[in-house]
Amino acid sequence: MGDMIRVENATKLYGRAGANGAAVHALNGVSLRIDHGEFVAIMGPSGCGKSTLLHVLGGLDVLSSGEIYLDDEPVHRLDEAGLTRLRREKIGFIFQFFNLLPTLTVEENVRLPGLLQNLNGGEIERRTRALLEAVGMEHRAGHRLHQLSGGEMQRTALARALLMEPRVLLADEPTGNLDSEASSRVVELFREIGERHRTTIVMVTHSREVAHAAHRVVTMRDGRVVD
Ligand SMILES: Nc1ncnc2c1ncn2[C@@H]1O[C@H](COP(=O)(O)OP(=O)(O)OP(=O)(O)O)[C@@H](O)[C@H]1O
Ligand SMILES: [Mg+2]
């Protein structure tokens, strides 16, 4: 039994050194361990590598060097097919701008990952009902996205990210465009769901108030963890 997430000396270099000075060390030697069921907030100034870290943790991007273990699986050694499987089986993502599908209703958005992954129809319905209730959106199930508030969209995105019951939830500024009341509602849900299902949660935020709801705050600067 190890950590849920272990990062060893991870670097991510964008561009090429020398050519025109355009190389950027988005990650510059990050080491980090996160426990099963832990809720971690990542903070730090714009451009310090927070989103890059989430992307490599979730197999959306690959490291230049270093190691990442997710549930003891070496993510840095996976090929494209392996990364796709990892994302499907273990990861839920939430981005700041939701990436929900605007022409679908709330419940259709939540169901979508189950349909894409051929989950049994009855099971999709059961989970969709339970999640819409958990995030307080059952009364808006048939609404289309333009009929929702920002906080409601964010709660829909949370329900969708949880449909496949991921071991790890990665959220990039999930409350970035919410007022403080809607923000605390969303992070409170993160906490509850994390505790109920032992989901490991890594959340990037610029808000101290939001970070406060996490078990631990990790601070980054210039591609490194400083605290
Ligand atoms: N595809 C890319 N190509 C080149 N450089 C990139 C690329 N993506 C990110 N970067 C650079 O890597 C650095 C880290 O970017 P990242 O998106 O991880 O920052 P961040 O901490 O999430 O910032 P913010 O708080 O503004 O979202 C930045 O300097 C950025 O310009
Ligand atoms: Mg970012």
Side-chain angles (χ1 to χ4, degrees):
M1 280 303 294
D3 310 287
M4 184 65 206
I5 295 172
R6 179 155 66 88
V7 182
E8 299 284 356
N9 205 16
T11 74
K12 175 68 185 179
L13 185 66
Y14 285 116
R16 210 170 301 159
N20 50 4
V24 175
H25 265 109
L27 299 177
N28 200 2
V30 169
S31 297
L32 184 64
R33 289 167 174 240
I34 299 175
D35 279 346
H36 287 266
E38 195 177 11
F39 179 11
V40 171
I42 311 266
M43 298 193 78
S46 179
C48 73
K50 305 179 298 296
S51 295
T52 304
L53 179 61
L54 281 199
H55 293 162
V56 296
L57 286 178
L60 289 172
D61 205 346
V62 294
L63 290 178
S64 303
S65 68
E67 300 175 352
I68 294 178
Y69 297 88
L70 212 138
D71 213 6
D72 291 329
E73 180 167 352
V75 178
H76 54 286
R77 291 207 208 112
L78 296 177
D79 60 11
E80 201 48 59
L83 291 172
T84 303
R85 178 192 48 74
L86 177 91
R87 288 195 298 267
R88 283 199 186 142
E89 288 179 357
K90 292 192 177 160
I91 317 265
F93 285 102
I94 305 177
F95 298 100
Q96 179 173 1
F97 297 108
F98 319 126
N99 56 331
L100 298 168
L101 296 179
T103 59
L104 300 185
T105 65
V106 166
E107 60 187 333
E108 287 165 347
N109 268 285
V110 174
R111 271 189 212 119
L112 193 62
L115 296 174
L116 293 175
Q117 292 175 52
N118 296 315
L119 187 63
N120 160 293
E123 185 60 19
I124 293 178
E125 282 323 297
R126 191 189 65 74
R127 291 187 192 183
T128 301
R129 292 296 131 220
L131 283 167
L132 286 176
E133 197 185 314
V135 302
M137 287 296 290
E138 69 276 37
H139 64 309
R140 292 282 182 272
H143 279 226
R144 294 186 194 280
L145 290 204
H146 67 268
Q147 299 168 318
L148 302 178
S149 73
E152 288 171 341
M153 283 191 225
Q154 200 53 288
R155 286 185 276 141
T156 303
L158 175 59
R160 189 181 63 174
L162 293 172
L163 189 86
M164 296 310 291
E165 302 182 343
R167 303 289 313 281
V168 177
L169 185 64
L170 302 174
D172 201 348
E173 295 185 52
T175 61
N177 43 15
L178 302 183
D179 65 31
S180 70
E181 198 175 314
S183 294
S184 31
R185 178 115 198 254
V186 168
V187 278
E188 207 38 58
L189 274 170
F190 276 39
R191 256 195 100 105
E192 268 173 44
I193 281 159
E195 275 157 25
R196 198 174 318 144
H197 302 285
R198 277 207 101 203
T199 313
T200 301
I201 303 175
V202 186
M203 170 186 72
V204 168
T205 182
H206 281 108
S207 158
R208 296 222 157 266
E209 200 185 334
V210 165
H212 201 70
H215 300 140
R216 175 158 63 110
V217 178
V218 168
T219 306
M220 292 183 68
R221 193 173 301 277
D222 296 333
R224 296 172 195 272
V225 170
V226 291
D227 190 15

